[in-house]
Amino acid sequence: QAQLKESGPGLVQPSRTLSLTCTVSGFSLTSYGVSWVRQPPGKGLEWIAAIWSGGSTDYNSALKSRLSISRDTSKSQVLLKMNSLQTEDTAMYFCARFSYTSPFDYWGQGVMVTVSS
Amino acid sequence: DIQMTQSPASLSASLGETVTIECLASEEIYSNLAWYQQKPGKSPQLLIYYANSLNDGVPSRFSGSGSGTQYSLKINSLQSEDVTIYFCQQNYDSPFTFGSGTKLEIK
């Protein structure tokens, strides 16, 4: 069964860079894509970025200048970097699996990121 | 970007009742519409994909319909475990935008 697990720092200072890792098992990153989605406390879901099975990438247009998504297929990991963090970036960050024929069918448990000095 | 307008924001219903949640896309999304259920403190779970296909393990009281820009999620015979938050999402075109969510409560 597919599994995804997010990891990263719980606390990041404003203006710093956030690095998150999504480690997957039970499927191959060359067969499925992985997206990142975030959710500020008590609010809705915001799609952030995706890396497709072929390696191409897509970004939320409002965040694109601050984002980078990549993958290491040998480690079954997807990496998300977001720079110039602000307090409004405080959120639970999820990674989720998708494909050309299926939306986000498996999700990680999420990692809470707080931006604060 | 495709905007997803979800309504209502909150909904109060009695156990056993049938409820409907709607999503309106700002442009044609060719049935590339998914519904998710999110319980407190948990990650979202896929209920419906491609507008009307039930994900594995999802109870048959959940159903989806719609086409073009208008879509809906129906829950028949509301159960206590259904009382939570629901989101729609278009996966037709990047960015894969979500609706703002519907909080379902017991009357």
Side-chain angles (χ1 to χ4, degrees):
Chain A
Q1 184 174 351
Q3 293 186 342
L4 302 92
K5 186 171 184 178
E6 306 87 349
S7 58
L11 180 65
V12 182
Q13 292 182 329
S15 79
R16 303 298 290 267
T17 296
L18 171 66
S19 294
L20 296 175
T21 300
C22 177
T23 302
V24 310
S25 61
F27 68 97
S28 169
L29 292 177
T30 58
S31 297
Y32 289 88
V34 170
S35 266
W36 286 93
V37 175
R38 70 179 181 180
Q39 185 172 37
K43 296 191 177 180
L45 300 169
E46 180 181 32
W47 178 83
I48 299 173
I51 187 162
W52 295 78
S53 56
S56 60
T57 58
D58 279 309
Y59 296 99
N60 181 317
S61 51
L63 301 171
K64 186 173 184 176
S65 64
R66 300 167 52 206
L67 291 173
S68 173
I69 188 170
S70 61
R71 68 183 184 181
D72 185 335
T73 55
S74 67
K75 294 182 179 179
S76 295
Q77 292 180 332
V78 174
L79 312 174
L80 180 75
K81 291 185 184 295
M82 180 184 296
N83 60 31
S84 303
L85 283 192
Q86 302 301 317
T87 55
E88 51 265 35
D89 295 314
T90 293
M92 183 72 80
Y93 285 75
F94 299 98
C95 59
R97 186 184 87 162
F98 72 97
S99 71
Y100 287 98
T101 57
S102 174
F104 302 173
D105 58 351
Y106 286 90
W107 294 65
Q109 62 190 18
V111 58
M112 184 67 202
V113 174
T114 301
V115 181
S116 174
S117 55
Chain B
D1 297 0
I2 298 174
Q3 307 302 316
M4 303 301 295
T5 303
Q6 185 173 342
S7 63
S10 62
L11 179 57
S12 184
S14 302
L15 296 177
E17 193 175 328
T18 294
V19 299
T20 300
I21 301 168
E22 298 188 338
C23 244
L24 176 67
S26 59
E27 59 187 82
E28 168 78 68
I29 56 172
Y30 301 97
S31 296
N32 289 282
L33 191 286
W35 291 97
Y36 300 88
Q37 177 191 68
Q38 187 180 28
K39 296 193 174 180
K42 300 293 186 181
S43 55
Q45 299 295 306
L46 178 65
L47 295 176
I48 302 282
Y49 62 98
Y50 205 60
N52 59 17
S53 295
L54 202 64
N55 194 29
D56 292 343
V58 175
S60 58
R61 63 179 179 275
F62 291 90
S63 63
S65 63
S67 62
T69 61
Q70 295 184 300
Y71 299 86
S72 61
L73 171 71
K74 187 166 75 171
I75 309 173
N76 288 317
S77 188
L78 189 68
Q79 305 293 302
S80 57
E81 60 264 33
D82 303 334
V83 177
T84 189
I85 299 175
Y86 295 84
F87 296 94
C88 63
Q89 181 204 27
Q90 65 83 15
N91 59 309
Y92 172 67
D93 192 25
S94 173
F96 302 119
T97 39
F98 290 90
S100 54
T102 296
K103 185 175 183 180
L104 184 52
E105 298 173 321
I106 292 294
K107 188 182 292 183

